[in-house]
Amino acid sequence: MASIENPIPDAVVDRIQRLGRRIRDARTRRRLRREDFAQRAGVSRSTMEAIERGEVSTGIGAYVKALWALGLDQELDLLADPGLDRDGLALELSAQTKRVRVRTKVDNDF
């Protein structure tokens, strides 16, 4: 639950922590030491530990670097793809078909 001190919703925290666990699992499957993986990704060992813990305060760039170092970054192109945004497309189409113009009375008295 988000609070005043921590405005980040629980669902967001859960997703980031799952991503961190997936990155850790991918690293261990590849039998990479955390130090070597951090160097390959171009981040510090402490940043890599934060990524694997799913720290919300860790920048998205660090997560992307980790995914890139694992060869798992291609799917990022699908995130927020306008062509896959069903709700956004539906709203856009409905706004185009329901265009309303307010008529203003023209005063032609000369």
Side-chain angles (χ1 to χ4, degrees), residues 36-53:
D36 298 333
F37 181 45
Q39 184 177 14
R40 182 183 291 187
V43 298
S44 67
R45 184 176 192 274
S46 62
T47 298
M48 189 54 63
E49 290 170 354
I51 289 169
E52 291 185 354
R53 281 192 309 270

Side-chain angles (χ1 to χ4, degrees), residues 98-109:
K98 294 181 182 179
R99 192 173 215 181
V100 177
R101 293 183 185 209
V102 178
R103 289 187 167 215
T104 57
K105 186 174 180 179
V106 179
D107 186 13
N108 288 335
D109 294 337

Side-chain angles (χ1 to χ4, degrees), residues 30 64 67-79:
R30 288 164 175 74
V64 173
L67 291 168
W68 172 82
L70 294 166
L72 299 173
D73 60 316
Q74 298 83 9
E75 288 76 16
L76 290 172
D77 291 337
L78 298 176
L79 295 177

Side-chain angles (χ1 to χ4, degrees), residues 3-36:
S3 67
I4 294 173
E5 298 84 32
N6 185 13
I8 301 168
D10 290 341
V12 172
V13 174
D14 291 343
R15 284 229 165 121
I16 293 173
Q17 288 175 346
R18 277 186 286 170
L19 176 59
R21 285 191 300 271
R22 289 177 181 168
I23 290 171
R24 183 188 62 229
D25 292 345
R27 174 186 61 80
T28 57
R29 271 189 238 114
R30 288 164 175 74
R31 300 179 196 271
L32 290 170
R33 292 181 327 143
R34 196 174 276 139
E35 295 84 5
D36 298 333

Side-chain angles (χ1 to χ4, degrees), residues 81-96:
D81 183 335
L84 300 175
D85 181 9
R86 291 183 190 144
D87 292 341
L89 289 170
L91 289 169
E92 183 178 46
L93 291 174
S94 70
Q96 289 175 355

